[in-house]
mmCIF file of all heavy atoms in Angstrom:
data_model
loop_
_atom_site.group_PDB
_atom_site.id
_atom_site.type_symbol
_atom_site.label_atom_id
_atom_site.label_comp_id
_atom_site.label_asym_id
_atom_site.label_seq_id
_atom_site.Cartn_x
_atom_site.Cartn_y
_atom_site.Cartn_z
ATOM 1 N N GLY A 488 -10.045 23.317 -26.058
ATOM 2 C CA GLY A 488 -9.805 22.316 -27.088
ATOM 3 C C GLY A 488 -11.106 21.689 -27.548
ATOM 4 O O GLY A 488 -12.198 22.083 -27.127
ATOM 5 N N LEU A 489 -10.984 20.686 -28.430
ATOM 6 C CA LEU A 489 -12.135 19.973 -28.978
ATOM 7 C C LEU A 489 -12.155 18.557 -28.436
ATOM 8 O O LEU A 489 -11.119 17.901 -28.332
ATOM 9 C CB LEU A 489 -12.073 19.947 -30.509
ATOM 10 C CG LEU A 489 -12.122 21.305 -31.218
ATOM 11 C CD1 LEU A 489 -11.970 21.120 -32.715
ATOM 12 C CD2 LEU A 489 -13.407 22.046 -30.901
ATOM 13 N N GLY A 490 -13.370 18.086 -28.110
ATOM 14 C CA GLY A 490 -13.522 16.738 -27.606
ATOM 15 C C GLY A 490 -13.722 15.736 -28.721
ATOM 16 O O GLY A 490 -13.703 16.061 -29.918
ATOM 17 N N SER A 491 -13.918 14.459 -28.341
ATOM 18 C CA SER A 491 -14.122 13.392 -29.323
ATOM 19 C C SER A 491 -15.451 13.543 -30.056
ATOM 20 O O SER A 491 -15.632 12.965 -31.134
ATOM 21 C CB SER A 491 -14.058 12.030 -28.626
ATOM 22 O OG SER A 491 -15.033 11.958 -27.593
ATOM 23 N N CYS A 492 -16.374 14.318 -29.482
ATOM 24 C CA CYS A 492 -17.670 14.547 -30.132
ATOM 25 C C CYS A 492 -17.592 15.613 -31.214
ATOM 26 O O CYS A 492 -18.552 15.816 -31.967
ATOM 27 C CB CYS A 492 -18.701 14.947 -29.083
ATOM 28 S SG CYS A 492 -18.264 16.430 -28.142
ATOM 29 N N GLY A 493 -16.468 16.316 -31.323
ATOM 30 C CA GLY A 493 -16.318 17.365 -32.322
ATOM 31 C C GLY A 493 -16.676 18.748 -31.818
ATOM 32 O O GLY A 493 -16.501 19.728 -32.554
ATOM 33 N N ARG A 494 -17.129 18.872 -30.590
ATOM 34 C CA ARG A 494 -17.480 20.175 -30.038
ATOM 35 C C ARG A 494 -16.426 20.603 -29.027
ATOM 36 O O ARG A 494 -15.525 19.830 -28.666
ATOM 37 C CB ARG A 494 -18.851 20.116 -29.368
ATOM 38 C CG ARG A 494 -19.980 19.693 -30.301
ATOM 39 C CD ARG A 494 -21.314 19.734 -29.589
ATOM 40 N NE ARG A 494 -21.615 21.080 -29.114
ATOM 41 C CZ ARG A 494 -22.720 21.397 -28.430
ATOM 42 N NH1 ARG A 494 -23.615 20.444 -28.135
ATOM 43 N NH2 ARG A 494 -22.929 22.630 -28.038
ATOM 44 N N GLN A 495 -16.529 21.854 -28.584
ATOM 45 C CA GLN A 495 -15.598 22.360 -27.582
ATOM 46 C C GLN A 495 -15.778 21.592 -26.274
ATOM 47 O O GLN A 495 -16.899 21.221 -25.917
ATOM 48 C CB GLN A 495 -15.839 23.853 -27.349
ATOM 49 C CG GLN A 495 -14.810 24.505 -26.430
ATOM 50 C CD GLN A 495 -15.098 25.983 -26.236
ATOM 51 O OE1 GLN A 495 -16.081 26.505 -26.778
ATOM 52 N NE2 GLN A 495 -14.266 26.668 -25.472
ATOM 53 N N ILE A 496 -14.663 21.340 -25.593
ATOM 54 C CA ILE A 496 -14.745 20.559 -24.362
ATOM 55 C C ILE A 496 -15.644 21.271 -23.358
ATOM 56 O O ILE A 496 -15.699 22.500 -23.292
ATOM 57 C CB ILE A 496 -13.344 20.321 -23.764
ATOM 58 C CG1 ILE A 496 -12.604 21.642 -23.560
ATOM 59 C CG2 ILE A 496 -12.539 19.402 -24.653
ATOM 60 C CD1 ILE A 496 -11.237 21.485 -22.918
ATOM 61 N N CYS A 497 -16.371 20.472 -22.581
ATOM 62 C CA CYS A 497 -17.401 21.007 -21.684
ATOM 63 C C CYS A 497 -16.818 21.924 -20.616
ATOM 64 O O CYS A 497 -17.399 22.949 -20.280
ATOM 65 C CB CYS A 497 -18.169 19.865 -21.038
ATOM 66 S SG CYS A 497 -18.970 18.747 -22.211
ATOM 67 N N CYS A 498 -15.651 21.526 -20.033
ATOM 68 C CA CYS A 498 -15.093 22.332 -18.953
ATOM 69 C C CYS A 498 -14.637 23.698 -19.433
ATOM 70 O O CYS A 498 -14.632 24.665 -18.662
ATOM 71 C CB CYS A 498 -13.926 21.587 -18.302
ATOM 72 S SG CYS A 498 -12.594 21.152 -19.440
ATOM 73 N N GLY A 499 -14.262 23.813 -20.732
ATOM 74 C CA GLY A 499 -13.852 25.106 -21.260
ATOM 75 C C GLY A 499 -14.993 25.914 -21.831
ATOM 76 O O GLY A 499 -14.803 27.084 -22.179
#
Side-chain angles (χ1 to χ4, degrees):
L489 298 177
S491 58
C492 58
R494 301 183 60 181
Q495 186 180 1
I496 55 178
C497 302
C498 58

